[in-house]
Amino acid sequence: MAILEMRDVTSGYGEVQILWGVTLALQKGQMVSLVGANGAGKTTLLRTIMGLNRPWSGQVLFEGEDVSKLPPHAKAARGLVLVPEGRQLFTNMTVQENLEMGASPKRSRADFQRNLELVFDMFPRLKDRRNQKAGTMSGGEQQMLAVARGIMASPKVLMIDELSLGLAPVLVLQLFESLKKLRDTGITVLLVEQNVKMALAVTDYAYVLSEGRIEIEGPSKAVASNPDVQKAYLGL
């Protein structure tokens, strides 16, 4: 049984439909990428899973249960966690305080120390800057903190929206290497990413979203070798 599913989901904003019958599934412990052009509906898809947008039709299932109508905080309490685009950190709070805020779901409190050790192992720079205010850090450090804060919530599924957006290539490489460590912990990851080449290189399975519809799916290596994907996204 998939840990997270969308079944024929439609969604949008006001009267504007963005998602058109989206179906996807994440298996437990899998790292999955969702790629596509700007405006394809990737962020809307994540918002709909999380409950920030209510599905117009179809179902969102988490651990086999229909959670389509649950609010975001109820989903977070069950282990479904979103790292949003734009980081949305508490910039006037320290690294340590941001991490403590990430551990607000009740289920994560017992694992606080273990999760803290995990994120400091993944991102040693955060340990060095634990008493520094988040707003004074570089963009790459802030993105590390955003992901770390998500991990502090003890996610069963961690969704990350645009991990590499606006970052220098060397920092992008560091972040993607960190994701490999995250996969080894058994956390299921759904990665929305414009850097298609990197996303397909580190994930197990991939979906290509185009104009609100899943156009291509399969093991990431197979998707990377698809001629349409190579032409549209990889410049080959």
Side-chain angles (χ1 to χ4, degrees):
M1 182 180 70
I3 189 170
L4 178 65
E5 290 183 79
M6 298 183 83
R7 293 182 180 173
D8 199 25
V9 170
T10 64
S11 183
Y13 304 90
E15 297 182 357
V16 180
Q17 186 167 348
I18 304 296
L19 302 182
W20 301 75
V22 171
T23 295
L24 56 78
L26 278 69
Q27 305 303 317
K28 187 175 181 180
Q30 202 176 36
M31 187 176 291
V32 176
S33 54
L34 176 71
V35 300
N38 279 336
K42 302 186 299 295
T43 294
T44 301
L45 186 150
L46 292 186
R47 288 177 58 87
T48 302
I49 291 174
M50 198 66 215
L52 297 164
N53 287 38
R54 185 69 66 87
W56 293 2
S57 63
Q59 292 179 302
V60 177
L61 291 94
F62 184 55
E63 297 186 308
E65 181 180 351
D66 188 345
V67 296
S68 305
K69 296 181 180 180
L70 289 183
H73 70 270
K75 293 180 179 179
R78 294 172 183 232
L80 186 58
V81 176
L82 172 64
V83 178
E85 181 181 357
R87 300 158 196 155
Q88 298 183 23
L89 299 171
F90 300 100
T91 55
N92 288 323
M93 297 172 67
T94 66
V95 167
Q96 179 76 22
E97 290 167 339
N98 270 272
L99 295 175
E100 290 170 358
M101 292 296 291
S104 57
K106 185 176 180 180
R107 63 183 303 276
S108 68
R109 294 170 195 166
D111 296 326
F112 179 84
Q113 195 59 41
R114 178 178 64 84
N115 289 336
L116 191 65
E117 290 172 4
L118 171 62
V119 299
F120 284 159
D121 178 61
M122 288 179 61
F123 305 114
R125 201 175 303 185
L126 296 183
K127 186 174 184 179
D128 295 338
R129 289 161 171 72
R130 63 194 304 169
N131 296 316
Q132 183 174 337
K133 286 189 176 182
T136 65
M137 299 166 70
S138 71
E141 291 166 343
Q142 289 187 21
Q143 190 64 288
M144 292 175 189
L145 179 55
V147 174
R149 186 179 62 181
I151 295 169
M152 292 300 296
S154 293
K156 296 178 182 178
V157 175
L158 183 66
M159 303 184 292
I160 305 174
D161 194 3
E162 299 295 2
L163 180 71
S164 69
L165 188 64
L167 300 183
V170 64
L171 288 172
V172 173
L173 284 172
Q174 290 176 12
L175 283 165
F176 275 98
E177 283 298 318
S178 298
L179 285 186
K180 294 179 182 179
K181 294 182 181 179
L182 188 59
R183 174 169 48 193
D184 293 341
T185 69
I187 297 173
T188 305
V189 177
L190 177 57
L191 176 67
V192 165
E193 181 56 53
Q194 287 190 39
N195 189 329
V196 177
K197 185 175 182 180
M198 288 292 294
L200 296 179
V202 301
T203 56
D204 307 303
Y205 200 86
Y207 292 89
V208 180
L209 191 68
S210 178
E211 297 182 350
R213 295 177 171 88
I214 299 294
E215 295 288 344
I216 300 168
E217 68 170 281
S220 296
K221 288 183 180 179
V223 172
S225 64
N226 182 295
D228 293 333
V229 173
Q230 291 184 340
K231 181 178 179 181
Y233 303 106
L234 301 179
L236 301 176

